[in-house]
mmCIF file of all heavy atoms in Angstrom:
data_model
loop_
_atom_site.group_PDB
_atom_site.id
_atom_site.type_symbol
_atom_site.label_atom_id
_atom_site.label_comp_id
_atom_site.label_asym_id
_atom_site.label_seq_id
_atom_site.Cartn_x
_atom_site.Cartn_y
_atom_site.Cartn_z
ATOM 1 N N GLN A 24 104.162 110.425 81.643
ATOM 2 C CA GLN A 24 102.966 110.707 80.850
ATOM 3 C C GLN A 24 101.743 110.274 81.631
ATOM 4 O O GLN A 24 101.577 109.084 81.925
ATOM 5 C CB GLN A 24 103.017 109.991 79.502
ATOM 6 C CG GLN A 24 101.884 110.392 78.581
ATOM 7 C CD GLN A 24 102.104 109.946 77.157
ATOM 8 O OE1 GLN A 24 102.863 109.016 76.888
ATOM 9 N NE2 GLN A 24 101.464 110.617 76.224
ATOM 10 N N ALA A 25 100.912 111.246 81.975
ATOM 11 C CA ALA A 25 99.662 110.983 82.667
ATOM 12 C C ALA A 25 98.574 110.698 81.637
ATOM 13 O O ALA A 25 98.688 111.124 80.475
ATOM 14 C CB ALA A 25 99.285 112.171 83.527
ATOM 15 N N PRO A 26 97.518 110.008 82.033
ATOM 16 C CA PRO A 26 96.439 109.697 81.094
ATOM 17 C C PRO A 26 95.870 110.963 80.450
ATOM 18 O O PRO A 26 95.555 111.935 81.145
ATOM 19 C CB PRO A 26 95.391 109.017 81.980
ATOM 20 C CG PRO A 26 96.168 108.450 83.112
ATOM 21 C CD PRO A 26 97.277 109.417 83.356
ATOM 22 N N GLY A 27 95.782 110.957 79.135
ATOM 23 C CA GLY A 27 95.207 112.075 78.416
ATOM 24 C C GLY A 27 96.105 113.280 78.291
ATOM 25 O O GLY A 27 95.668 114.333 77.802
ATOM 26 N N LYS A 28 97.361 113.156 78.734
ATOM 27 C CA LYS A 28 98.278 114.287 78.678
ATOM 28 C C LYS A 28 99.515 113.937 77.871
ATOM 29 O O LYS A 28 99.818 112.773 77.632
ATOM 30 C CB LYS A 28 98.690 114.712 80.092
ATOM 31 C CG LYS A 28 97.541 115.273 80.924
ATOM 32 C CD LYS A 28 98.052 115.851 82.219
ATOM 33 C CE LYS A 28 96.936 116.503 83.008
ATOM 34 N NZ LYS A 28 97.419 117.099 84.277
ATOM 35 N N GLU A 29 100.235 114.975 77.457
ATOM 36 C CA GLU A 29 101.478 114.770 76.726
ATOM 37 C C GLU A 29 102.572 114.339 77.709
ATOM 38 O O GLU A 29 102.520 114.631 78.907
ATOM 39 C CB GLU A 29 101.903 116.069 76.040
ATOM 40 C CG GLU A 29 100.854 116.655 75.132
ATOM 41 C CD GLU A 29 101.406 116.899 73.738
ATOM 42 O OE1 GLU A 29 102.614 117.145 73.614
ATOM 43 O OE2 GLU A 29 100.614 116.846 72.779
ATOM 44 N N ARG A 30 103.565 113.656 77.154
ATOM 45 C CA ARG A 30 104.695 113.273 77.987
ATOM 46 C C ARG A 30 105.458 114.534 78.397
ATOM 47 O O ARG A 30 105.613 115.470 77.582
ATOM 48 C CB ARG A 30 105.609 112.319 77.215
ATOM 49 C CG ARG A 30 106.706 111.704 78.057
ATOM 50 C CD ARG A 30 107.221 110.410 77.442
ATOM 51 N NE ARG A 30 107.671 110.572 76.083
ATOM 52 C CZ ARG A 30 108.016 109.556 75.303
ATOM 53 N NH1 ARG A 30 107.956 108.319 75.757
ATOM 54 N NH2 ARG A 30 108.426 109.784 74.064
ATOM 55 N N GLU A 31 105.941 114.557 79.627
ATOM 56 C CA GLU A 31 106.624 115.744 80.135
ATOM 57 C C GLU A 31 107.924 115.357 80.842
ATOM 58 O O GLU A 31 108.064 114.259 81.391
ATOM 59 C CB GLU A 31 105.723 116.529 81.099
ATOM 60 C CG GLU A 31 105.359 115.786 82.366
ATOM 61 C CD GLU A 31 104.549 116.626 83.346
ATOM 62 O OE1 GLU A 31 104.234 117.785 83.043
ATOM 63 O OE2 GLU A 31 104.243 116.092 84.425
ATOM 64 N N PHE A 32 108.842 116.294 80.838
ATOM 65 C CA PHE A 32 110.127 116.128 81.509
ATOM 66 C C PHE A 32 109.931 116.134 83.012
ATOM 67 O O PHE A 32 109.135 116.906 83.543
ATOM 68 C CB PHE A 32 111.058 117.275 81.098
ATOM 69 C CG PHE A 32 112.257 117.443 81.984
ATOM 70 C CD1 PHE A 32 113.315 116.557 81.897
ATOM 71 C CD2 PHE A 32 112.326 118.480 82.895
ATOM 72 C CE1 PHE A 32 114.423 116.711 82.716
ATOM 73 C CE2 PHE A 32 113.414 118.644 83.716
ATOM 74 C CZ PHE A 32 114.475 117.754 83.622
ATOM 75 N N VAL A 33 110.704 115.280 83.704
ATOM 76 C CA VAL A 33 110.659 115.231 85.158
ATOM 77 C C VAL A 33 112.006 115.607 85.770
ATOM 78 O O VAL A 33 112.096 116.507 86.605
ATOM 79 C CB VAL A 33 110.245 113.829 85.641
ATOM 80 C CG1 VAL A 33 110.312 113.753 87.172
ATOM 81 C CG2 VAL A 33 108.862 113.458 85.134
ATOM 82 N N ALA A 34 113.065 114.888 85.361
ATOM 83 C CA ALA A 34 114.378 115.116 85.975
ATOM 84 C C ALA A 34 115.467 114.671 85.023
ATOM 85 O O ALA A 34 115.237 113.807 84.163
ATOM 86 C CB ALA A 34 114.498 114.359 87.295
ATOM 87 N N ALA A 35 116.649 115.252 85.174
ATOM 88 C CA ALA A 35 117.775 114.933 84.312
ATOM 89 C C ALA A 35 119.054 114.870 85.121
ATOM 90 O O ALA A 35 119.204 115.568 86.136
ATOM 91 C CB ALA A 35 117.919 116.001 83.218
ATOM 92 N N ILE A 36 119.986 114.051 84.645
ATOM 93 C CA ILE A 36 121.305 113.982 85.271
ATOM 94 C C ILE A 36 122.344 113.842 84.172
ATOM 95 O O ILE A 36 122.151 113.093 83.210
ATOM 96 C CB ILE A 36 121.385 112.831 86.295
ATOM 97 C CG1 ILE A 36 122.695 112.900 87.084
ATOM 98 C CG2 ILE A 36 121.196 111.473 85.633
ATOM 99 C CD1 ILE A 36 122.682 112.055 88.349
ATOM 100 N N SER A 37 123.430 114.571 84.310
ATOM 101 C CA SER A 37 124.473 114.540 83.295
ATOM 102 C C SER A 37 125.232 113.217 83.347
ATOM 103 O O SER A 37 125.135 112.454 84.312
ATOM 104 C CB SER A 37 125.442 115.697 83.507
ATOM 105 O OG SER A 37 126.086 115.574 84.774
ATOM 106 N N TRP A 38 126.030 112.976 82.301
ATOM 107 C CA TRP A 38 126.751 111.698 82.193
ATOM 108 C C TRP A 38 127.682 111.469 83.369
ATOM 109 O O TRP A 38 127.863 110.339 83.815
ATOM 110 C CB TRP A 38 127.517 111.653 80.873
ATOM 111 C CG TRP A 38 128.459 112.803 80.670
ATOM 112 C CD1 TRP A 38 128.176 114.016 80.126
ATOM 113 C CD2 TRP A 38 129.847 112.838 81.022
ATOM 114 N NE1 TRP A 38 129.290 114.807 80.126
ATOM 115 C CE2 TRP A 38 130.338 114.110 80.661
ATOM 116 C CE3 TRP A 38 130.729 111.915 81.597
ATOM 117 C CZ2 TRP A 38 131.662 114.485 80.849
ATOM 118 C CZ3 TRP A 38 132.041 112.290 81.784
ATOM 119 C CH2 TRP A 38 132.498 113.566 81.422
ATOM 120 N N SER A 39 128.227 112.561 83.911
ATOM 121 C CA SER A 39 129.156 112.437 85.048
ATOM 122 C C SER A 39 128.432 112.432 86.385
ATOM 123 O O SER A 39 129.024 112.111 87.420
ATOM 124 C CB SER A 39 130.147 113.595 85.023
ATOM 125 O OG SER A 39 129.458 114.820 85.242
ATOM 126 N N GLY A 40 127.172 112.828 86.359
ATOM 127 C CA GLY A 40 126.420 112.951 87.608
ATOM 128 C C GLY A 40 126.602 114.282 88.306
ATOM 129 O O GLY A 40 126.011 114.513 89.359
ATOM 130 N N SER A 41 127.392 115.176 87.717
ATOM 131 C CA SER A 41 127.694 116.439 88.384
ATOM 132 C C SER A 41 126.613 117.493 88.216
ATOM 133 O O SER A 41 126.589 118.483 88.955
ATOM 134 C CB SER A 41 129.019 116.998 87.859
ATOM 135 O OG SER A 41 128.934 117.248 86.469
ATOM 136 N N ARG A 42 125.747 117.302 87.237
ATOM 137 C CA ARG A 42 124.675 118.278 86.979
ATOM 138 C C ARG A 42 123.328 117.572 86.992
ATOM 139 O O ARG A 42 123.188 116.473 86.477
ATOM 140 C CB ARG A 42 124.866 118.957 85.625
ATOM 141 C CG ARG A 42 126.160 119.753 85.490
ATOM 142 C CD ARG A 42 126.193 120.506 84.166
ATOM 143 N NE ARG A 42 126.056 119.626 83.015
ATOM 144 C CZ ARG A 42 127.045 118.977 82.441
ATOM 145 N NH1 ARG A 42 128.272 119.102 82.912
ATOM 146 N NH2 ARG A 42 126.835 118.206 81.397
ATOM 147 N N THR A 43 122.353 118.219 87.603
ATOM 148 C CA THR A 43 120.988 117.718 87.614
ATOM 149 C C THR A 43 120.025 118.860 87.313
ATOM 150 O O THR A 43 120.376 120.045 87.451
ATOM 151 C CB THR A 43 120.607 117.103 88.969
ATOM 152 O OG1 THR A 43 120.763 118.092 89.996
ATOM 153 C CG2 THR A 43 121.460 115.884 89.292
ATOM 154 N N ALA A 44 118.829 118.483 86.892
ATOM 155 C CA ALA A 44 117.783 119.466 86.627
ATOM 156 C C ALA A 44 116.435 118.821 86.922
ATOM 157 O O ALA A 44 116.296 117.597 86.798
ATOM 158 C CB ALA A 44 117.834 119.948 85.182
ATOM 159 N N TYR A 45 115.469 119.648 87.313
ATOM 160 C CA TYR A 45 114.151 119.141 87.680
ATOM 161 C C TYR A 45 113.058 120.034 87.121
ATOM 162 O O TYR A 45 113.221 121.255 87.005
ATOM 163 C CB TYR A 45 114.011 119.099 89.204
ATOM 164 C CG TYR A 45 114.984 118.170 89.878
ATOM 165 C CD1 TYR A 45 116.218 118.629 90.330
ATOM 166 C CD2 TYR A 45 114.684 116.821 90.033
ATOM 167 C CE1 TYR A 45 117.123 117.771 90.920
ATOM 168 C CE2 TYR A 45 115.585 115.956 90.633
ATOM 169 C CZ TYR A 45 116.802 116.439 91.068
ATOM 170 O OH TYR A 45 117.705 115.579 91.658
ATOM 171 N N ALA A 46 111.926 119.419 86.831
ATOM 172 C CA ALA A 46 110.734 120.195 86.510
ATOM 173 C C ALA A 46 110.286 120.919 87.772
ATOM 174 O O ALA A 46 110.456 120.414 88.892
ATOM 175 C CB ALA A 46 109.628 119.268 86.023
ATOM 176 N N ASP A 47 109.716 122.087 87.603
ATOM 177 C CA ASP A 47 109.268 122.863 88.761
ATOM 178 C C ASP A 47 108.276 122.077 89.613
ATOM 179 O O ASP A 47 108.256 122.211 90.839
ATOM 180 C CB ASP A 47 108.620 124.171 88.296
ATOM 181 C CG ASP A 47 109.643 125.169 87.780
ATOM 182 O OD1 ASP A 47 110.848 124.997 88.051
ATOM 183 O OD2 ASP A 47 109.238 126.121 87.090
ATOM 184 N N SER A 48 107.480 121.242 88.967
ATOM 185 C CA SER A 48 106.422 120.522 89.673
ATOM 186 C C SER A 48 106.959 119.477 90.652
ATOM 187 O O SER A 48 106.238 119.033 91.546
ATOM 188 C CB SER A 48 105.486 119.854 88.675
ATOM 189 O OG SER A 48 106.206 118.966 87.843
ATOM 190 N N VAL A 49 108.230 119.073 90.491
ATOM 191 C CA VAL A 49 108.796 118.037 91.357
ATOM 192 C C VAL A 49 109.981 118.533 92.168
ATOM 193 O O VAL A 49 110.500 117.786 93.023
ATOM 194 C CB VAL A 49 109.200 116.788 90.550
ATOM 195 C CG1 VAL A 49 108.038 116.288 89.709
ATOM 196 C CG2 VAL A 49 110.428 117.033 89.695
ATOM 197 N N LYS A 50 110.410 119.746 91.917
ATOM 198 C CA LYS A 50 111.584 120.278 92.599
ATOM 199 C C LYS A 50 111.374 120.262 94.103
ATOM 200 O O LYS A 50 110.324 120.670 94.602
ATOM 201 C CB LYS A 50 111.853 121.697 92.091
ATOM 202 C CG LYS A 50 113.280 122.153 92.204
ATOM 203 C CD LYS A 50 113.487 123.467 91.459
ATOM 204 C CE LYS A 50 113.414 123.297 89.962
ATOM 205 N NZ LYS A 50 113.699 124.544 89.230
ATOM 206 N N GLY A 51 112.363 119.771 94.828
ATOM 207 C CA GLY A 51 112.266 119.684 96.284
ATOM 208 C C GLY A 51 111.642 118.398 96.786
ATOM 209 O O GLY A 51 111.721 118.092 97.973
ATOM 210 N N ARG A 52 111.009 117.642 95.885
ATOM 211 C CA ARG A 52 110.382 116.375 96.283
ATOM 212 C C ARG A 52 111.062 115.161 95.653
ATOM 213 O O ARG A 52 111.106 114.092 96.264
ATOM 214 C CB ARG A 52 108.902 116.364 95.880
ATOM 215 C CG ARG A 52 108.080 117.475 96.512
ATOM 216 C CD ARG A 52 106.595 117.302 96.211
ATOM 217 N NE ARG A 52 106.295 117.369 94.783
ATOM 218 C CZ ARG A 52 105.707 116.402 94.089
ATOM 219 N NH1 ARG A 52 105.361 115.275 94.683
ATOM 220 N NH2 ARG A 52 105.467 116.552 92.803
ATOM 221 N N PHE A 53 111.574 115.313 94.446
ATOM 222 C CA PHE A 53 112.202 114.216 93.713
ATOM 223 C C PHE A 53 113.712 114.419 93.663
ATOM 224 O O PHE A 53 114.195 115.559 93.646
ATOM 225 C CB PHE A 53 111.680 114.155 92.285
ATOM 226 C CG PHE A 53 110.255 113.686 92.131
ATOM 227 C CD1 PHE A 53 109.388 113.590 93.224
ATOM 228 C CD2 PHE A 53 109.771 113.331 90.872
ATOM 229 C CE1 PHE A 53 108.081 113.156 93.063
ATOM 230 C CE2 PHE A 53 108.469 112.891 90.703
ATOM 231 C CZ PHE A 53 107.619 112.819 91.798
ATOM 232 N N GLY A 54 114.439 113.307 93.605
ATOM 233 C CA GLY A 54 115.888 113.367 93.458
ATOM 234 C C GLY A 54 116.362 112.343 92.444
ATOM 235 O O GLY A 54 115.954 111.187 92.502
ATOM 236 N N ILE A 55 117.188 112.775 91.502
ATOM 237 C CA ILE A 55 117.734 111.871 90.509
ATOM 238 C C ILE A 55 119.195 111.596 90.852
ATOM 239 O O ILE A 55 119.927 112.491 91.300
ATOM 240 C CB ILE A 55 117.604 112.458 89.074
ATOM 241 C CG1 ILE A 55 117.979 111.424 88.024
ATOM 242 C CG2 ILE A 55 118.402 113.743 88.925
ATOM 243 C CD1 ILE A 55 117.654 111.853 86.593
#
């Protein structure tokens, strides 16, 4: 959550770790 903005999704990982997902804004730069 940035100042003055709504909270937004960044990255996700499944319980097993086998699946991940990223917001377009961080894809290729962030790793979960």
Side-chain angles (χ1 to χ4, degrees):
Q24 187 167 22
K28 294 188 176 181
E29 304 234 331
R30 188 158 55 188
E31 64 176 2
F32 164 75
V33 175
I36 188 164
S37 62
W38 56 273
S39 65
S41 61
R42 299 186 302 275
T43 58
Y45 297 92
D47 287 344
S48 58
V49 307
K50 206 170 290 184
R52 300 187 298 122
F53 289 13
I55 189 170

